Amino acid sequence: MATARASRRFCRCACFCSENLYVARYGLHLRFRGEQQLRQDYGPLEQEVERRRRLGQESAARKALIASSYHPARPEVYDSLQDAALAPEFLSITEYSASPGADLQGLLQRLQTVSEEKRIYRVPVFTAPFCQALLEELEHFERSDMPKGRPNTMNNYGVLLHELGLDEPLVTPLRERFLQPLMALLYPDCGGGQLDSHRAFVVKYAPGQDRELGCHYDNAELTLNVALGKAFTGGALYFGGLFQAPAALTEPLEVEHVVGQGVLHRGGQLHGARPLGTGERWNLVVWLRASAVRNRLCPMCCREPDLVDDDGFGDGFTREEPPTVDVCALT
């Protein structure tokens, strides 16, 4: 019996163009309520609102140009994700997570708990050779004349992986095959078992460029932050409480980066990066999203989302899917 189902359409919340607008001049996330309020309070904010409104269209244009004109230095990193790219410990942990009878206590014996209270964990993710190959490709892209969309207004250096063409072969299988069962055990209350989209990007810190990152929380249910290299000092991550309790930042927890290893945390956990000392630091950041959670409450405006259709995964929101239609019954 033939059936037809509309393809799933991801959306963003309309608050993307009105809430949490980062303006470097102030070092603050601000709110937009109209042109009169904007001009009175935050003159430069108008440029950020317009940038966000054009973001999806401009990103799609960059991706198309890169796909047609860019010549990779390490084409093998664009191949479908292979087990050989992943740390043996990560493969073992994720295999356990997907096995019958797996539970949280058994999982916690296999990874490092950074903070039980804050539910922050560390796990090896990639092998050193894969980190090196990915870094070489990212540096080659940085040196090219291709257009580059930066991760966000807080990070001025780095790469959006979907524009580079690495979402489908690398990040999607990483989320679906490996992170899903792991996060289902670690964070069942945060949508860990219902992850259905992501936003992935690489951030770069270096002398004369970005050196640190202010305190913030992520537009995600869960976050994976993997240190790719290179040699560096400083730049430790620091964590406070959840964004609903900012006073917890009075005694932040600091976490050092280890190349190839990833830090797992809740997206709402307040965090930032201390100033880089020497060298360069590159990190892969994957915002993991569960539409079943965010469709009820937008994590950025803390209201029921006002949905706006968007390209790709959007910001991880979805509209209600129509019921399955029996094509035979309609003919």
Side-chain angles (χ1 to χ4, degrees), residues 326-331:
D326 186 341
V327 175
C328 293
L330 300 178
T331 59

Side-chain angles (χ1 to χ4, degrees), residues 189-210:
D189 54 323
C190 303
Q194 300 167 292
L195 303 175
D196 54 3
S197 72
H198 60 263
R199 176 178 172 84
F201 50 91
V202 172
V203 293
K204 176 189 177 186
Y205 297 87
Q209 300 181 5
D210 291 338

Side-chain angles (χ1 to χ4, degrees), residues 15 23 73 112 131 139 141 159-160 168 193 208 216 238 242 248 251 253 258 287 294 306 317 323:
C15 77
V23 179
Q112 179 186 349
C131 288
E139 291 183 302
F141 178 71
V159 179
L160 293 166
E168 294 81 1
H216 65 285
Y238 64 88
L242 293 176
E251 296 182 2
L253 168 73
V258 179
W287 288 353
R294 60 182 38 229
D306 178 9
F317 301 93

